[in-house]
Amino acid sequence: QRAGPESVVLAVDGQTMVVAERSGRVAVLDSVSGELLWSVQSTVRLISDLDIGGGVVAIGGQMEGGDGVTPPT
């Protein structure tokens, strides 16, 4: 099943791009070559925000079991 724009969150830092499905699947790619650098199934099951900087990926949302931080709306 393909993810549509409403179910994907993106962040870019220079030559690195992070693509996350709101359901928790995260992939980090080289934004120039498109090469997959790494991917993971996050414990955050409802991703609402995403950022990358200094080699660190930050994911905001609701974690398994209902714990976690949800940004204000």
Side-chain angles (χ1 to χ4, degrees), residues 43-46 62-68:
T43 57
V44 179
R45 293 295 180 227
L46 183 57
Q62 184 175 349
M63 296 180 68
E64 285 183 6
D67 299 325

Side-chain angles (χ1 to χ4, degrees), residues 19 24-29 36-42:
V19 180
R25 216 167 53 166
V26 179
V28 178
L29 304 116
L36 177 65
L37 303 175
W38 57 267
S39 64
V40 67
Q41 178 64 47
S42 171

Side-chain angles (χ1 to χ4, degrees), residues 1-69:
Q1 179 179 356
R2 293 182 159 253
E6 67 284 347
S7 62
V8 176
V9 183
L10 300 172
V12 179
D13 177 24
Q15 209 172 325
T16 308
M17 177 172 57
V18 182
V19 180
E21 290 184 32
R22 292 195 188 274
S23 61
R25 216 167 53 166
V26 179
V28 178
L29 304 116
D30 181 296
S31 60
V32 174
S33 70
E35 176 187 0
L36 177 65
L37 303 175
W38 57 267
S39 64
V40 67
Q41 178 64 47
S42 171
T43 57
V44 179
R45 293 295 180 227
L46 183 57
I47 295 176
S48 58
D49 199 8
L50 186 64
D51 200 6
I52 183 171
V56 176
V57 175
I59 301 171
Q62 184 175 349
M63 296 180 68
E64 285 183 6
D67 299 325
V69 177

